[in-house]
Amino acid sequence: MDIKQLRALVTVAEAGSVTRAAELLHLVQPAVTRQIRTLEHELGVALFERTRQGMQPTAAGTTMVERARRALNELERARAEIRPTPGVVSGIVTVGLLDSASSLLAEPLVSAVLRDHPGIELRLLTAYSGHLQQWLDDGDLDLTLLYNLSSTPSLNAEPLVREKLWAVAPPSAGLRAERPVPLEEAVSHPLVVPAAGHGLRKVIDAAAAQAKVEMNLVVQTNSMHVQKQLALAGHGWTILPGVGIAEDVANGTLSAAPLCEPEVWRSIVLGTPRAGRITPAVEVVARELTRQINAAVHEGRWPSAELHDNGTANRS
């Protein structure tokens, strides 16, 4: 088993075709086929099956592709760290951003890192908190934003900011930031909510239980975009963090008001793995991400958010 075989394996899985993989690898097709077959012979299992949709990994192939991708990423990181320009921080840093906060943070983070540390190659992944935590535990992320999480045996969680959850509805509902909506009133409307098991749903369920109110659920989804789309179409109200609807409210697409009786909050933390060495490049990106969050809160671009007491001090 060698690096060329692993690259061939990952490229075929991503391209779905040996022909396309050969083009991407600048090889002839028989060479790629030979590398895959050699790997299959060594492992003693089939890694791909041909379907109408192209080359699809088998169950064993899927496992091998995940491990191979991780090994190749680690080699790339090592290469970048071993050959630095003197005095320049360099390396590959993979960052996880919460889907709800990505539009606020992604572009400013990239701009600042490219401007001040051009030797760093950023890779951004967006998802919900549960997925991001799993990717961090699996070693696919160097650092990530998570919410409503404390430190665990596998990761360090540094509190950064907390924010209110908002009732969200079509503009015709007339919700306004200065008039909070009681949770009981919000959940009495037909409600579009995150699917069961989603982190945000757990926060909403806990608040409803605390207030002893029942929710009028009509649709569950795993997409924030779909939540907003269905609310706009009049299928119900929804509940989202302020950062996820700030732009929609500003342009009049949706109306929103913070929840009250009780107020409902989520806390956002910066997660980093406990195991392994934190590289200078990761430290740089962690500091910059924290700065961008601090700036967004101070400048009022993150609605109803409050910085954690240690949010500025720890990475200033």
Side-chain angles (χ1 to χ4, degrees):
M1 190 181 301
D2 60 30
I3 293 175
K4 292 180 180 178
Q5 292 168 351
L6 298 183
R7 285 204 180 99
L9 172 72
V10 171
T11 307
V12 170
E14 292 175 346
S17 160
V18 173
T19 302
R20 178 58 181 151
E23 293 173 358
L24 294 171
L25 294 168
H26 305 291
L27 296 171
V28 295
Q29 182 175 333
V32 176
T33 300
R34 185 168 57 252
Q35 288 170 345
I36 297 298
R37 286 178 178 171
T38 300
L39 196 53
E40 288 179 326
H41 178 74
E42 178 176 344
L43 294 171
V45 294
L47 298 175
F48 291 95
E49 58 182 356
R50 292 186 179 276
T51 70
R52 291 182 179 180
Q53 290 73 41
M55 296 285 283
Q56 298 294 317
T58 62
T62 298
T63 298
M64 192 63 195
V65 168
E66 291 175 358
R67 301 295 183 181
R69 185 183 287 118
R70 198 166 300 154
L72 292 172
N73 285 340
E74 286 300 319
L75 288 171
E76 286 185 41
R77 288 191 179 101
R79 185 179 292 111
E81 292 172 24
I82 289 170
R83 299 179 179 174
T85 302
V88 174
V89 177
S90 62
I92 298 167
V93 181
T94 305
V95 182
L97 296 177
L98 293 164
D99 192 45
S100 56
S102 60
S103 61
L104 180 68
L105 298 173
E107 193 283 325
L109 175 65
V110 170
S111 293
V113 172
L114 292 182
R115 180 191 66 232
D116 298 334
H117 301 281
I120 294 177
E121 179 185 331
L122 272 181
R123 298 178 179 178
L124 303 182
L125 300 179
T126 64
Y128 291 121
S129 185
H131 293 142
L132 293 172
Q133 183 181 352
Q134 184 62 56
W135 295 344
L136 184 70
D137 288 341
D138 289 345
D140 295 325
L141 294 175
D142 295 304
L143 69 155
T144 187
L145 296 181
L146 302 166
Y147 63 80
N148 286 31
L149 189 73
S150 56
S151 294
T152 72
S154 65
L155 63 87
N156 292 308
E158 179 183 318
L160 296 179
V161 67
R162 70 178 195 139
E163 63 171 333
K164 291 180 182 177
L165 297 190
W166 292 51
V168 182
S172 59
L175 300 182
R176 298 174 60 180
E178 62 272 21
R179 293 207 305 258
V181 173
L183 178 65
E184 183 174 10
E185 177 186 342
V187 302
S188 68
H189 291 269
L191 206 60
V192 180
V193 295
H198 183 282
L200 189 60
R201 174 66 180 277
K202 293 177 182 178
V203 176
I204 297 169
D205 286 349
Q210 177 187 345
K212 298 180 180 178
V213 298
E214 291 199 12
M215 296 186 287
N216 181 14
L217 304 183
V218 294
V219 180
Q220 301 182 45
T221 175
N222 66 347
S223 167
M224 183 181 71
H225 173 72
V226 172
Q227 280 181 257
K228 294 192 289 186
Q229 188 179 49
L230 293 178
L232 177 60
H235 293 293
W237 287 24
T238 190
I239 297 174
L240 287 167
V243 70
I245 45 89
E247 186 175 342
D248 303 278
V249 172
N251 63 28
T253 305
L254 293 167
S255 66
L259 292 169
C260 65
E261 301 176 20
E263 293 181 338
V264 185
W265 295 81
R266 73 167 183 176
S267 299
I268 294 179
V269 304
L270 179 66
T272 52
R274 285 188 182 275
R277 184 174 67 92
I278 302 298
T279 68
V282 172
E283 284 283 356
V284 162
V285 175
R287 284 196 298 270
E288 188 54 52
L289 180 56
T290 302
R291 285 195 189 98
Q292 294 300 330
I293 290 172
N294 292 343
V297 174
H298 283 307
E299 295 166 12
R301 293 183 284 114
W302 196 317
S304 64
E306 299 177 355
L307 290 175
H308 189 273
D309 292 342
N310 296 328
T312 303
N314 286 359
R315 291 189 181 275
S316 60

